[in-house]
Amino acid sequence: MSRKPITFRTEKEMPIMVVSSGTTEVNKTGSWRYLRPVYQEKDASCSGFCLSGNDVREFVTLVSKNKMKEAWHSIMKTNPFPAVSGRICPHPCKSNCNRRAVDASIRINDIEAKIGDFGISNRFTPKVKKGKMKALVMGSGPIGLSCAYHLMRLGYSATVFESGKIICGSLRTEMTKHKVKEKILDDELKALKRAGLDIKTNVRLKEIDGYDVVFVEPGETFDKIRSAKVIAGISYDTHGKFIGKNDLPKAVLPTQAIKAGRILADMIDNRLKNRRITAKKVAIVKFDMINKDYFEQMGEHKDLVKDASRCLSCGKCIKCDNCLIFCPDCCIKKTEKGYKVDYDYCKGCGICAEECPRGIISLEEEGT
Amino acid sequence: MKKVMMGNHAVSYGAALCRVQVIAAYPITPQTQIVEKLSEMCGSGFLKSNFIKVESEHSALAAVMGASAAGARAFTATSAQGLALMHEIIHWVAGARLPIVMVNVNRAMAPPWSVWTDQNDSLSQRDTGWMQIYCESNQEVIDTVILAYKIAEKVQMPCMVILDAFVLSHTSEIVDIPKQRNVDLYLPPYKPKMKLDINNPKAFGALVTPEYYMEFRYKMQKAMDKAIDVAASAHADFAKTFGRRYDVIEEYMTKDAETVIVTSGTITSTARVVIDELREKGEKIGLLKMRFFRPFPKEAVIKALTGKKKVIVLDRNISFGHHGIFFQEIKSVMYGKKDAPEISGVILGLGGRDVTPDVIKDAISEGKRNRTEDIVWIGVKK
Amino acid sequence: MFELRIHGRGGQGAVVASKILANAMFLEGKYVQSFPMFGVERRGAPVQAFLRADDKPIRIRCQVYTPNHIIVLDPTLINVVDVTKGLKKSGWIIINSSHDASDFKFKGYKVATIDANKIAVSLGLGSKTAPIVNTAILGAFSKITGLISIESILKSVSEEVPIKVQLNKQAVQEAYDQVRQ
């Protein structure tokens, strides 16, 4: 740090009040720091606990702005059966919703069902990619249907063969348990069919040929598979083109199965394209990272759009400027990408982390 | 324009005429009407000022200090317990060389709880570096607020304008309100060279080692010394602009006086009547009014009292363990001077005990009788 | 210089009366000083207000101990407070009462009465239980003492009274006409 030491020979040379002689910017107080604030968006608690792996925060936020169509497309990125799921899922998203630290959880399951119903009544069609690859799914359980749908989103044309008479068996049983009308599922299936999903019942195949990827649900039988580049669901020989039964993602509940189907579609696609992609571990905002002081208590709302507006947007910056306003050293700047901490001056007081209402700024030990 | 108004409103009008830009104050009897009137004026648009609501006097002066540091002409008012609560910030404001004007309504310190007048509250702050001016009439109050800004902004030291609780604050009398355009001519906008400025950022008030601290304090003392001269020209300009003459002290019938009584605040006003009466009876007695207490008008006091036989200082205050405060300071200033008078002091009027002409006459006779260091308390039930 | 003391109960307008009168005196070119009893008051408690007026500047600044005249806004105070304390010999005692002046026994002083309550209630000033009698009493004061003209009081009422100006002026006039010695 090059600066001349200040000396005065007489009082006459001195200013009347003690004032810095130049800019204080030469004093890089960042060196004092032993805790470092890190601005990093995180997953919301709801999304973290979602059995289907939905971006719950995203669709709740869209509903709060009454953007129902966008909310439908958002949830369709991960779960093609929102109307059903909202009614049968045990909704750990809602049980773990951080809003409960303020007043009450957001009625996420009801919101999900509302989105699904909106999609049904408006006869929306999900967005899929057109491609040359052909996919076959044998079995129409929730894993299979979900896998087929997500392969369509990845650019495959998908066909589902069901050996029995009824499609999505376990989903229907779960719905009966929860007294949900079967028509809801059938309406959501219609949307998938509009997008190009081909479903055939009472099909028993001995040989399979002409498909680039094949997924065989546990319980289905076949004799021979030809010309497929990737085969999933068989524990034959796990080298190369096979994704064995033991490698399939685990699922117990239907909404878990929907996630499993998506993961499987990704695994198949990665195997075909010879890619290795490891899932990134994203941190989740827990309710002790929320600053309750910034939210007004109001309780659940009958109107779901208004209820959705109680969403804290955990982990997603909404540019509230708290960190910038409260930083005592004025070393947080606003940029298009979010907020930037000037580590040259940040002393690590932690006020920004404390005052971020939605847990985006966290303190880490300096040097880790 | 002449209007009948109470002392507190005279303060409000004074501050409004000075176009104060930031006001922060906390209500306390007997100051509340000052702030009420100012907030009314802000509300009606008569005064374009930022009124900051605060939760205590400590915050009030802190807010005003921040505003002044950023270059605004800032104002506050308080009394007794409120003034005491501000104490650490009072020190800061002076050290930071901020020309804030604060009106203090002299009220007795508790306990016992009292809302009536005496001077202990303001005198407890005498060592902080604030100028102190004591007023005897509502006219003087409105004029002194304007003078205070003029002097304070020139020497960059804060100034306290002081008036007695109830006897001035709540008493209505005729006040000639100066014209706004004359005040604007007399008191131009406040434009400090150094201030908090985001376009020219500086840090103020940093740590100073023993190597330089004394020099900063020395400069404060020099500013106080300069204030006496600045006051002289400010008073002269004031007389030219508004037609009323003020000085750091006032001598009433002292020219050929053998005895001089020294007073401050409203006691001065009643004392004038006593002086007239005694003069009619043939006594060679005069009155010295202490208007400025800080900076202490040394030269003027020495000039007024040299050659007098007896000086009796009337203190509406007491420094426990020693004497009345004006008495101590007058004595110290006259120490060792050629032809210095014999000086004695009396304590009267504490906690709003009424100071009538008879009480003053009593004080004079007691003061004359007392030739020692004893402090005499007038009117105490013994 | 003359000194006046006004006796009332908190809320009756004793302090405002002293302010209106002070302003009226000022309008006639007098120097004035008016102040309330210094202290903390509450509604209904006995209060006092004071006024000094002179042709030259008033320098005395202490309490009023020997008023020339007194005004009593509430006659029940007579048994509670020594209203004539310090009152100068042959000073006027102006009382708000429906009784005759002769019903009050004040030796050595002159008494005048005015039913200011009746006037106030008839004009809708205040309520039946708490009429605002301060403007009416000033009309009586003007007539009895002759120290201030009614015109000045009326002008002062226009300047100082925030509401029901016309009615208050009427109260002044009626009391002026009706006050009895």
Side-chain angles (χ1 to χ4, degrees):
Chain A
M1 206 163 25
S2 64
R3 55 184 169 138
K4 282 187 285 191
I6 299 163
T7 49
F8 296 105
R9 284 163 306 153
T10 68
E11 59 92 4
K12 285 191 179 62
E13 291 172 22
M14 292 163 60
I16 61 165
M17 57 181 101
V18 52
V19 61
S20 55
S21 60
T23 172
T24 50
E25 286 168 322
V26 296
N27 186 12
K28 300 226 189 266
T29 52
S31 60
W32 304 3
R33 193 175 55 234
Y34 61 88
L35 286 174
R36 159 187 282 255
V38 178
Y39 174 89
Q40 177 63 59
E41 287 192 317
K42 302 173 180 62
D43 265 356
S45 183
C46 49
S47 308
F49 282 92
C50 174
L51 298 179
S52 304
N54 295 328
D55 187 342
V56 178
R57 179 182 65 206
E58 190 180 85
F59 73 70
V60 169
T61 306
L62 287 166
V63 169
S64 75
K65 296 178 188 159
N66 210 3
K67 292 191 172 163
M68 298 304 293
K69 185 170 185 191
E70 291 89 332
W72 188 85
H73 280 290
S74 163
I75 202 173
M76 290 299 282
K77 285 191 289 191
T78 43
N79 182 347
F81 301 113
V84 171
S85 305
R87 290 167 165 89
I88 65 165
C89 185
H91 51 71
C93 54
K94 182 174 172 182
S95 336
N96 288 287
C97 170
N98 285 332
R99 182 83 202 192
R100 75 189 187 286
V102 179
D103 42 22
S105 296
I106 301 198
R107 298 163 55 198
I108 303 175
N109 53 338
D110 295 330
I111 290 170
E112 190 185 17
K114 183 182 163 84
I115 294 172
D117 293 343
F118 191 80
I120 292 172
S121 52
N122 283 287
R123 298 173 62 87
F124 291 145
T125 305
K127 299 189 178 111
V128 297
K129 270 206 234 160
K130 284 251 148 65
K132 284 194 237 154
M133 297 294 196
K134 289 169 82 180
L136 174 66
V137 172
M138 304 213 15
S140 67
I143 289 189
L145 285 175
S146 174
C147 183
Y149 167 68
H150 282 102
L151 282 169
M152 287 203 306
R153 296 191 73 243
L154 287 166
Y156 298 74
S157 65
T159 308
V160 174
F161 286 161
E162 167 57 54
S163 54
K165 276 187 274 187
I166 309 168
I167 44 174
C168 31
S170 68
L171 209 51
R172 281 189 208 269
T173 13
E174 197 67 23
M175 284 164 70
T176 319
K177 233 199 276 182
H178 289 265
K179 298 196 171 73
V180 179
K181 292 200 177 78
E182 282 191 41
K183 184 175 187 303
I184 295 174
L185 175 59
D186 292 328
D187 283 337
E188 293 207 290
L189 279 167
K190 277 193 200 138
L192 300 187
K193 287 181 190 159
R194 285 196 297 273
L197 181 64
D198 191 14
I199 310 180
K200 288 197 170 57
T201 48
N202 289 316
V203 175
R204 277 172 215 282
L205 285 183
K206 292 284 182 201
E207 277 187 16
I208 299 165
D209 195 2
Y211 291 96
D212 300 288
V213 304
V214 176
F215 166 49
V216 182
E217 265 199 359
E220 295 293 319
T221 55
F222 67 97
D223 282 339
K224 221 183 188 107
I225 302 179
R226 264 190 257 272
S227 74
K229 298 194 182 72
V230 177
I231 305 173
I234 314 169
S235 50
Y236 224 49
D237 150 9
T238 49
H239 298 304
K241 61 181 176 180
F242 291 104
I243 297 170
K245 251 202 271 203
N246 295 328
D247 298 319
L248 297 185
K250 299 283 177 285
V252 174
L253 296 164
T255 37
Q256 282 174 316
I258 290 169
K259 180 178 182 180
R262 173 168 59 87
I263 291 175
L264 185 57
D266 284 338
M267 281 168 82
I268 292 170
D269 188 53
N270 284 341
R271 189 64 73 85
L272 184 79
K273 292 176 180 149
N274 235 332
R275 273 193 310 226
R276 227 177 236 284
I277 294 176
T278 38
K280 263 196 274 189
K281 255 250 179 237
V282 187
I284 293 175
V285 175
K286 300 205 194 83
F287 78 75
D288 57 0
M289 292 158 78
I290 298 295
N291 190 326
K292 292 192 291 180
D293 296 343
Y294 293 98
F295 303 108
E296 209 191 302
Q297 283 197 350
M298 38 177 101
E300 276 188 8
H301 210 287
K302 259 194 283 190
D303 178 310
L304 285 173
V305 169
K306 290 206 175 89
D307 197 64
S309 70
R310 290 190 303 128
C311 172
L312 309 179
S313 187
C314 303
K316 181 143 188 76
C317 185
I318 59 165
K319 306 269 165 64
C320 74
D321 280 353
N322 263 18
C323 52
L324 186 151
I325 290 170
F326 291 119
C327 174
D329 280 317
C330 297
C331 50
I332 294 186
K333 285 185 177 53
K334 197 171 184 172
T335 67
E336 289 106 46
K337 294 204 203 121
Y339 292 86
K340 208 160 175 274
V341 176
D342 190 342
Y343 291 109
D344 280 343
Y345 299 102
C346 167
K347 295 194 195 93
C349 70
I351 287 176
C352 56
E354 179 67 25
E355 298 309 317
C356 175
R358 38 199 60 87
I360 290 161
I361 302 183
S362 319
L363 288 178
E364 292 172 12
E365 259 190 58
E366 188 63 36
T368 52
Chain B
M1 180 186 81
K2 289 199 176 135
K3 207 171 184 294
V4 178
M5 66 168 82
M6 56 156 66
N8 277 349
H9 287 172
V11 172
S12 315
Y13 275 94
L17 286 166
C18 293
R19 300 193 188 271
V20 293
Q21 294 163 289
V22 176
I23 304 162
Y26 192 79
I28 180 168
T29 302
Q31 151 267 39
T32 44
Q33 291 89 350
I34 299 177
V35 188
E36 278 170 9
K37 192 88 184 140
L38 280 170
S39 96
E40 247 178 64
M41 290 170 166
C42 288
S44 72
F46 173 76
L47 170 62
K48 290 188 192 11
S49 185
N50 284 294
F51 196 97
I52 308 177
K53 263 165 70 176
V54 288
E55 73 282 13
S56 80
E57 287 86 350
H58 186 270
S59 299
L61 190 58
V64 158
M65 178 192 95
S68 182
R73 183 174 284 156
F75 175 83
T76 187
T78 189
S79 179
Q81 315 302 124
L83 186 68
L85 187 57
M86 291 176 169
H87 186 68
E88 64 148 337
I89 317 256
I90 290 174
H91 274 280
W92 190 279
V93 166
R97 306 297 297 273
L98 297 170
I100 292 169
V101 169
M102 163 155 66
V103 167
N104 181 63
V105 184
N106 264 152
R107 164 183 145 173
M109 293 295 295
W113 206 260
S114 167
V115 292
W116 295 276
T117 192
D118 79 29
Q119 295 171 328
N120 262 61
D121 61 345
S122 57
L123 291 172
S124 300
Q125 308 298 331
R126 66 178 156 151
D127 300 332
T128 54
W130 280 63
M131 295 189 275
Q132 288 194 7
I133 310 176
Y134 288 79
C135 301
E136 95 181 80
S137 71
N138 291 353
Q139 183 67 62
E140 189 172 359
V141 164
I142 195 174
D143 291 340
T144 305
V145 171
I146 301 168
L147 272 159
Y149 274 112
K150 180 93 175 167
I151 301 171
E153 287 173 8
K154 191 81 199 281
V155 299
Q156 287 190 265
M157 292 295 278
C159 185
M160 231 181 265
V161 176
I162 296 155
L163 63 154
D164 286 336
F166 291 115
V167 192
L168 273 195
S169 67
H170 285 59
T171 298
S172 302
E173 55 182 14
I174 304 170
V175 173
D176 189 357
I177 307 172
K179 289 201 181 67
Q180 180 69 72
R181 58 181 149 85
N182 286 342
V183 180
D184 291 338
L185 275 168
Y186 182 75
L187 186 69
Y190 176 51
K191 297 244 185 293
K193 267 182 276 185
M194 274 198 281
K195 57 177 180 169
L196 290 171
D197 184 355
I198 52 171
N199 298 314
N200 183 19
K202 291 191 182 293
F204 293 90
L207 184 75
V208 170
T209 57
E211 201 183 345
Y212 290 112
Y213 183 89
M214 267 184 89
E215 280 71 18
F216 282 111
R217 301 317 253 191
Y218 179 76
K219 286 163 105 64
M220 282 167 72
Q221 174 70 0
K222 294 238 327 235
M224 279 292 213
D225 291 341
K226 185 172 168 211
I228 294 279
D229 298 324
V230 170
S233 57
H235 285 141
D237 282 343
F238 194 92
K240 245 194 290 183
T241 317
F242 301 100
R244 284 183 291 277
R245 232 210 179 283
Y246 292 100
D247 204 346
V248 290
I249 56 161
E250 191 194 316
E251 294 183 73
Y252 184 70
M253 302 210 170
T254 56
K255 198 145 173 253
D256 63 338
E258 290 176 349
T259 309
V260 173
I261 62 170
V262 182
T263 61
S264 56
T266 51
I267 295 179
T268 314
S269 193
T270 310
R272 292 174 198 270
V273 175
V274 173
I275 298 292
D276 285 349
E277 267 184 50
L278 295 174
R279 276 275 174 183
E280 288 239 322
K281 295 207 182 99
E283 198 177 325
K284 289 206 166 96
I285 188 164
L287 162 71
L288 173 63
K289 167 185 170 175
M290 293 301 294
R291 204 169 103 79
F292 269 60
F293 176 69
R294 282 288 182 274
F296 195 85
K298 208 168 63 166
E299 306 295 332
V301 167
I302 294 171
K303 189 155 174 270
L305 299 183
T306 301
K308 303 290 178 251
K309 289 220 181 71
K310 176 86 191 183
V311 166
I312 305 163
V313 183
L314 275 57
D315 268 307
R316 200 168 199 166
N317 60 78
I318 173 78
S319 178
F320 298 102
H322 201 24
H323 295 98
I325 292 166
F326 281 88
F327 170 61
Q328 292 174 45
E329 305 229 344
I330 301 268
K331 257 191 11 157
S332 81
V333 134
M334 298 306 296
Y335 178 74
K337 294 285 178 298
K338 189 166 174 289
D339 297 328
E342 191 183 85
I343 308 177
S344 58
V346 300
I347 309 292
L348 43 57
L350 298 186
R353 181 73 61 91
D354 204 20
V355 178
T356 61
D358 284 340
V359 170
I360 294 177
K361 285 186 199 139
D362 213 1
I364 294 170
S365 51
E366 287 292 331
K368 280 192 186 145
R369 206 187 350 258
N370 179 29
R371 310 183 74 91
T372 69
E373 286 285 290
D374 293 343
I375 331 163
V376 179
W377 290 63
I378 304 294
V380 169
K381 303 169 187 61
K382 281 197 258 207
Chain C
M1 176 173 77
F2 98 88
E3 294 176 317
L4 170 72
R5 185 171 64 221
I6 305 175
H7 288 272
R9 288 194 185 271
Q12 276 186 312
V15 178
V16 175
S18 79
K19 283 207 170 114
I20 298 172
L21 188 52
N23 194 45
M25 295 266 170
F26 159 64
L27 291 170
E28 287 196 355
K30 297 270 188 297
Y31 291 89
V32 295
Q33 198 186 87
S34 89
F35 48 93
M37 171 181 87
F38 299 147
V40 293
E41 298 129 19
R42 58 172 172 78
R43 204 164 272 283
V47 299
Q48 296 166 41
F50 305 90
L51 172 71
R52 286 187 173 111
D54 202 348
D55 296 311
K56 39 191 208 310
I58 302 169
R59 296 174 302 167
I60 203 146
R61 290 182 189 279
C62 58
Q63 302 280 31
V64 168
Y65 293 100
T66 53
N68 299 85
H69 309 291
I70 60 165
I71 292 176
V72 182
L73 290 177
D74 184 338
T76 65
L77 287 166
I78 293 171
N79 297 320
V80 174
V81 171
D82 181 2
V83 296
T84 59
K85 184 170 182 192
L87 180 59
K88 287 209 168 80
K89 278 273 176 278
S90 54
W92 277 103
I93 306 176
I94 301 169
I95 309 175
N96 166 26
S97 169
S98 50
H99 290 285
D100 277 335
S102 48
D103 292 344
F104 293 95
K105 304 281 176 267
F106 287 110
K107 240 180 129 182
Y109 303 111
K110 300 183 287 205
V111 180
T113 59
I114 174 66
D115 196 345
N117 277 13
K118 185 150 151 260
I119 296 173
V121 169
S122 74
L123 291 168
L125 298 169
S127 66
K128 252 214 186 111
T129 41
I132 310 262
V133 296
N134 52 5
T135 39
I137 212 81
L138 292 177
F141 178 82
S142 165
K143 178 73 181 290
I144 290 294
T145 63
L147 287 167
I148 183 82
S149 73
I150 189 170
E151 287 79 24
S152 300
I153 302 229
L154 292 170
K155 185 149 186 267
S156 181
V157 167
S158 310
E159 289 178 10
E160 295 289 310
V161 174
I163 49 161
K164 295 188 179 169
V165 178
Q166 278 310 112
L167 293 167
N168 273 295
K169 281 166 96 164
Q170 215 173 317
V172 172
Q173 187 67 58
E174 284 185 24
Y176 184 89
D177 296 331
Q178 294 171 25
V179 63
R180 303 186 302 266
Q181 300 184 30

